[in-house]
Amino acid sequence: MIGDIMAISRLRMGSDGRGISTLVTFFGCPLHCKYCINNFCHESKQHNSVPRGAYTPQELIHILRKDDIYYRMSGGGVAFGGGEPLLQSAFIHEVCKLAEEGWQMRIETSLNVPWRHVEPLIYDIDEWIIDIKDMDFLIYEKYTGVKMDYLINNIYRLKELVNTSRLHIRVPRIPGFNTIENIEKSVEWIKNILEVEPEVFDYIVENANF
């Protein structure tokens, strides 16, 4: 089994959960967000301008173990991002099986994929960091280019299987797309349905015309 990996970023702090982490990002994403910072994740495998990393689970674990002491001492671990890492959940599952005890395994996801991509990781992931964009159907589709049906379905199913303490829901302020009122409605929905206090943050957009 091979992982189609964009980058492996070591010794990160404060951006991928508690402690020191290694962020592993994957090619591929069903969304086409207006302000995507990794838009090249959509490049096909035949595109020569984007370097690709093909790793087996064993090869990736060998790299991750270099920072084992930092994970253990800081309460950190490994974060999987993208792109949309859930599209390669079978690979991530194999990596999690090889991970050392004590590593925190996290995933940064839109959760907008068929459930079959989510299910393999239910018992592997310690923290689900979910960027929901906005809970308004029209705003979500306008910003991402896709409908949010999978996201809604997966949130309900995940809530039944995962303790809400493992859910970290992020609600972005997206310039030119959602208003303060939209954000407040998204936050209220998350609190009522998931019983989780979401994180509200800003997308920093350079040279955007609104």
Side-chain angles (χ1 to χ4, degrees), residues 134 139 172-174 176-185:
D134 197 278
I139 293 173
R173 301 183 185 93
I174 312 175
F177 285 88
N178 59 1
T179 65
I180 294 175
E181 290 76 17
N182 298 137
I183 294 166
E184 289 176 347
K185 289 180 180 179

Side-chain angles (χ1 to χ4, degrees), residues 64 82 113 146 156 161 163 187-189:
L64 298 176
V113 296
V146 301
Y156 279 109
L161 296 169
N163 190 296
V187 168
E188 182 180 4
W189 189 92

Side-chain angles (χ1 to χ4, degrees), residues 182-196 198:
N182 298 137
I183 294 166
E184 289 176 347
K185 289 180 180 179
S186 294
V187 168
E188 182 180 4
W189 189 92
I190 292 163
K191 287 181 177 180
N192 291 338
I193 300 301
L194 301 181
E195 300 178 353
V196 170

Side-chain angles (χ1 to χ4, degrees), residues 126-130 155-169 190-198:
D126 297 298
E127 184 176 11
W128 297 76
I129 303 172
I130 304 167
I155 280 181
Y156 279 109
R157 296 184 73 170
L158 202 59
K159 179 179 182 290
E160 297 301 314
L161 296 169
V162 171
N163 190 296
T164 55
S165 64
R166 293 164 60 191
L167 302 179
H168 182 161
I169 312 297
I190 292 163
K191 287 181 177 180
N192 291 338
I193 300 301
L194 301 181
E195 300 178 353
V196 170
E197 184 69 37

